[in-house]
Amino acid sequence: MAQTPPPIDNDRFRSVLGSYPTGVAVVTGIDKQGEPIGMVVGTFTSVSIDPPLVAFLPMKTSRTFQTLREDSDTFCVNILAADQEHICRTLAAPGDKKFATVPWHKSPGGNPIIDGVVAWIDCKYASVVDGGDHHIVLGSVQAMDRSRDTTPLLFFQRGYGRFSTGPMVIGSERETLHYARLAEIAREEIERLASDSQLECSLVAPVGHDAVYVAVADHSPQRRANSRLGARVPVTPPLGTLFVGEPNGLSEEAWLSRLGKASPETYEQARAKLARVRARGWSAALVGNLTPAELEQALIVYSNPQRTPEQERSFLSCVSAMFDMHEPEQLSPDEEYDVLQLSVPVRQACGKVVLTLRMGALPPKLSGSTLHAYLQRLEACASRIEKLIAAQAERTPA
């Protein structure tokens, strides 16, 4: 007699099925008040060519799908592009008027097409059938088009990512090499600063959604066995503030969206930290509860190009644990601080921030006046580097 298999654990089911990547789409429509509505789905699939049918699987508890179904007999599937994660997070978050910050235009069927998507498919409902705790929605395709020749947004192990071909990886490497060449121009300057201060000094560049160490000079007493050269950190609140809003960095909206489903208070704190950095022109992070060894290990894991979303979340949990330690409101001259790092921007002649100059491995219990003296040295060094970069640009043919 065959034994009855044990029930499938819900968490294990999600974990195993999460090992299969899916595309990310937004199903949109217009409600009875004439307002755009939409829901993020990771279950969209093609079904049939003849007749042309597609499908998606909303949860039965979804109120957005209930409104979509009751208010219209058509819908539009928007295939999100890899650079539209912030739109995905905006539309997946709770709340009303989600389309207030999402640009869109009407499809032939009158449904919202989100600007910049890879493709869109206008459909009529063919059928809605039971699928356990989900509906299985079949759509009869009425119109469709590719809007943009780019890669789609992917969902894998509860994290977002993108498809990368060999040439795309090379493109990212070329971008990093460009910044490494700029950093090489400043090599003597950061070596001198590190030697004079007996600290670690580095130059960091924005590459995609990350900040990459492109030059490191370590003259601190506790010199690391492994250099941070090539290491990556995500440009996500509260990190990367000096790059936010720059032409080669993330927009403020995209930066904030990387908080995910955080509380409104956390969003406000992140905005306040960003405003503080912009007003004073420098960034600071204090030492938190995590040990230097724990931080270093987290950085190694994140810098692995083969890291999984689970490993990325582990790093982000470290960042979250130190959220309050970044961008203190002030460094009072007479108070003492344990500082993880200080950073200032390095700009091109046009004013664009191309690098940040960082100082780390600082001694404990430094007074605010000492830290401000370090910041002045950083700013003076950054100014010299800017002149070197400008001189190099003048010598390089356009």
Side-chain angles (χ1 to χ4, degrees), residues 76-290:
C76 185
V77 180
N78 293 254
I79 309 299
L80 292 186
D83 59 2
Q84 292 184 308
E85 180 183 339
H86 62 290
I87 288 178
C88 173
R89 293 189 182 278
T90 296
L91 296 179
D96 299 324
K97 304 292 183 182
K98 299 179 192 177
F99 277 83
T101 59
V102 177
W104 61 278
H105 57 283
K106 285 190 175 182
S107 71
N111 299 303
I113 297 175
I114 297 168
D115 291 357
V117 294
V118 174
W120 56 269
I121 305 103
D122 239 356
C123 302
K124 285 187 175 180
Y125 288 93
S127 66
V128 179
V129 298
D130 183 86
D133 56 6
H134 284 66
H135 296 296
I136 301 174
V137 181
L138 278 180
S140 174
V141 178
Q142 305 299 299
M144 61 194 309
D145 199 8
R146 289 182 62 186
S147 298
R148 191 170 158 212
D149 187 13
T150 189
T151 55
L153 183 64
L154 300 180
F155 187 73
F156 173 63
Q157 288 188 358
R158 295 183 297 142
Y160 295 102
R162 64 179 65 203
F163 175 79
S164 294
T165 64
M168 284 181 164
V169 173
I170 291 171
S172 175
E173 290 174 351
R174 285 175 179 165
E175 190 176 5
T176 304
L177 285 173
H178 164 71
Y179 288 116
R181 292 189 186 100
L182 287 182
E184 192 59 31
I185 298 170
R187 167 61 61 186
E188 290 185 9
E189 288 293 340
I190 67 168
E191 282 286 354
R192 186 180 299 112
L193 179 63
S195 177
D196 291 347
S197 61
Q198 290 295 288
L199 298 174
E200 180 195 71
C201 296
S202 56
L203 287 168
V204 181
V207 179
H209 288 183
D210 291 341
V212 182
Y213 284 77
V214 290
V216 178
D218 191 352
H219 289 265
S220 64
Q222 63 270 39
R223 186 175 300 190
R224 294 184 180 90
N226 297 316
S227 169
R228 281 190 174 178
L229 186 63
R232 290 174 174 261
V233 292
V235 179
T236 183
L239 307 179
T241 47
L242 289 169
F243 292 130
V244 176
E246 294 294 321
N248 53 343
L250 293 180
S251 67
E252 181 174 342
E253 179 184 346
W255 182 71
L256 288 169
S257 74
R258 302 197 79 191
L259 282 169
K261 295 181 179 179
S263 67
E265 291 78 12
T266 301
Y267 275 90
E268 287 307 311
Q269 289 175 10
R271 288 190 183 94
K273 292 177 187 295
L274 181 59
R276 202 173 295 142
V277 170
R278 286 173 170 170
R280 65 194 181 193
W282 51 265
S283 171
L286 305 182
V287 176
N289 295 327
L290 297 177

Side-chain angles (χ1 to χ4, degrees), residues 49-68:
I49 294 178
D50 187 16
L53 295 172
V54 295
F56 70 98
L57 283 68
M59 289 193 68
K60 289 181 176 177
T61 54
S62 171
R63 288 181 290 181
T64 302
F65 175 69
Q66 183 177 352
T67 302
L68 279 168

